[in-house]
Amino acid sequence: MLIEPVELTLAHVGLGELREVPLLALFASAQAHALVAGTEHTLRDVTDAAGAKLYPGYSWLHLRVPPSRRLGQFQVWDRVEVGVDVKRFGGMVLDSTYVLGAAGELSTMTADWPLDALPSMRAMSMWIVDGAPGDPQPSSPQRGAIAELPSLSNPPDAMKRFRTMRATGSFDREPRPWSTTKPVRYQLHMGRDVARDHNLMFATYVEIMEVATEAVLRGVVWPAIPAALLEHRMLLEREVFFLSHTKGGEQVLVDVRAKLTPCAENFHGDAKDMVSAGILDIVFELYEEGTSSLLAIAHARELFLVPRKRAGLVADLARFLPSS
């Protein structure tokens, strides 16, 4: 278990507030430090018995953000704590729990972390040979390459779910009002999206999902949500299964299906200056264009949280809510 103090700087949030992709990077960085704690080297130096470099590739993650502790409340120059607890199953599988809190907020006992009250994540990852062509090649770190980690006696629950989701290829096939008839295209550019000689990083898949969501809401499907509402969304949760890899130069095709559901106007908590106007429920399927390989499937929920002084936007969104 590791609790890492971090100051949110311009590199994390620019001049603004914390968002999903930088949070994922903070969690992954804390895990990287926990994996090599006490070894006097970095994650970049981890190899298997044959000398091949390894990295912990995510196969599943589930990020949750309580509406009363939204990411936008963490802003530039805030001092925060990132907690991570990593366990292993066998030599290859990692089962991790992450949490974000204000400075001094996290207990040194993992069992006391308030995962329902703070932004948190559960994840499963596997050691993968770095730079190997074709399908991911799992391997085990050689002795002494990583820290001593607590061992699980049974496989993580996510392993069974991963096999199920790989077989089904989707969270559901439910028709939804906002659904792409043609997938949203995202061109991967070397340097911007992908590091040279590496596959696409897990957090970039999430960034592509966000681009695709905005494309659908802005008018891929008509009628479109008023553009002013798009800046008033906050993430509640995102669950992703990573099924394959892609690289720079490829195009990712994103199938998006979304619906709007009602919620209580105080769903976000006690803040009187805001109104919870509705919840966007979204499922994604991401494919590599050239091979039609299914790269990832995901489910997300976002809250439309609107300033009370902009009550007209609440009425605009209400037009899209299902009639009772």
Side-chain angles (χ1 to χ4, degrees):
M1 189 270 288
L2 173 73
I3 296 177
E4 191 163 66
V6 177
E7 182 180 53
L8 297 180
T9 69
L10 302 177
H12 300 110
V13 300
L15 292 174
E17 54 197 34
L18 187 62
R19 297 183 63 84
E20 181 180 3
V21 170
L23 175 59
L24 292 176
L26 284 170
F27 282 162
S29 296
Q31 176 182 270
H33 295 156
L35 288 173
V36 295
T39 65
E40 299 185 353
H41 60 248
T42 71
L43 189 65
R44 190 175 57 199
D45 302 309
V46 174
T47 60
D48 64 12
K53 289 190 174 184
L54 305 180
Y55 70 93
Y58 283 99
S59 52
W60 168 77
L61 65 80
H62 189 185
L63 176 64
R64 297 185 301 151
V65 181
S68 59
R69 199 66 182 274
R70 55 194 181 272
L71 296 185
Q73 293 172 294
F74 297 89
Q75 300 182 354
V76 66
W77 310 127
D78 283 351
R79 290 180 169 85
V80 301
E81 291 179 339
V82 180
V84 60
D85 183 52
V86 188
K87 296 180 173 64
R88 66 176 180 86
F89 176 69
M92 299 183 188
V93 176
L94 301 172
D95 181 81
S96 304
T97 300
Y98 313 76
V99 66
L100 173 71
E105 191 169 14
L106 300 186
S107 168
T108 55
M109 300 293 292
T110 307
D112 294 332
W113 288 350
L115 300 181
D116 292 332
L118 295 173
S120 65
M121 188 171 83
R122 295 277 292 112
M124 182 178 71
S125 48
M126 181 175 292
W127 290 104
I128 301 295
V129 175
D130 195 7
D135 293 337
Q137 297 181 18
S139 188
S140 299
Q142 63 176 314
R143 183 177 297 275
I146 64 171
E148 290 292 329
L149 301 174
S151 177
L152 296 172
S153 56
N154 296 307
D157 292 341
M159 289 185 71
K160 181 178 180 180
R161 290 200 62 221
F162 181 86
R163 289 192 292 268
T164 299
M165 299 305 286
R166 175 181 281 282
T168 58
S170 179
F171 271 81
D172 66 58
R173 299 293 180 183
E174 172 192 345
R176 297 174 183 232
W178 288 295
S179 297
T180 49
T181 55
K182 293 183 179 180
V184 177
R185 293 175 176 270
Y186 188 96
Q187 177 68 52
L188 297 175
H189 291 284
M190 195 70 69
R192 184 193 69 183
D193 303 303
V194 189
R196 189 172 302 280
D197 299 324
H198 290 275
N199 291 316
L200 189 66
M201 193 173 82
F202 78 102
T204 309
Y205 286 96
V206 173
E207 196 166 16
I208 293 170
M209 291 177 210
E210 180 60 14
V211 170
T213 300
E214 288 219 3
V216 170
L217 297 181
R218 284 183 180 275
V220 167
V221 176
W222 187 260
I225 282 183
L229 276 163
L230 297 180
E231 64 187 73
H232 297 297
R233 293 177 295 139
M234 62 152 286
L235 182 75
L236 295 174
E237 66 172 317
R238 189 184 305 271
E239 185 175 17
V240 188
F241 290 87
F242 301 94
L243 306 178
S244 189
H245 285 166
T246 190
K247 56 188 182 302
E250 300 289 347
Q251 278 203 9
V252 177
L253 307 180
V254 190
D255 178 70
V256 185
R257 286 174 289 122
K259 64 180 179 181
L260 192 66
T261 60
C263 65
E265 70 169 31
N266 64 346
F267 181 83
H268 61 282
D270 297 330
K272 304 299 184 184
D273 60 336
M274 309 293 287
V275 177
S276 294
I279 294 174
L280 188 68
D281 189 285
I282 325 161
V283 291
F284 306 86
E285 296 167 24
L286 283 70
Y287 297 85
E288 186 181 73
E289 183 187 38
T291 63
S292 297
S293 175
L294 181 58
L295 301 171
I297 56 177
H299 170 245
R301 294 168 64 241
E302 297 180 352
L303 175 66
F304 281 96
L305 187 61
V306 181
R308 190 171 291 276
K309 63 184 180 182
R310 303 201 65 182
L313 291 179
V314 178
D316 285 342
L317 192 67
R319 294 187 287 111
F320 296 91
L321 287 168
S323 56
S324 56

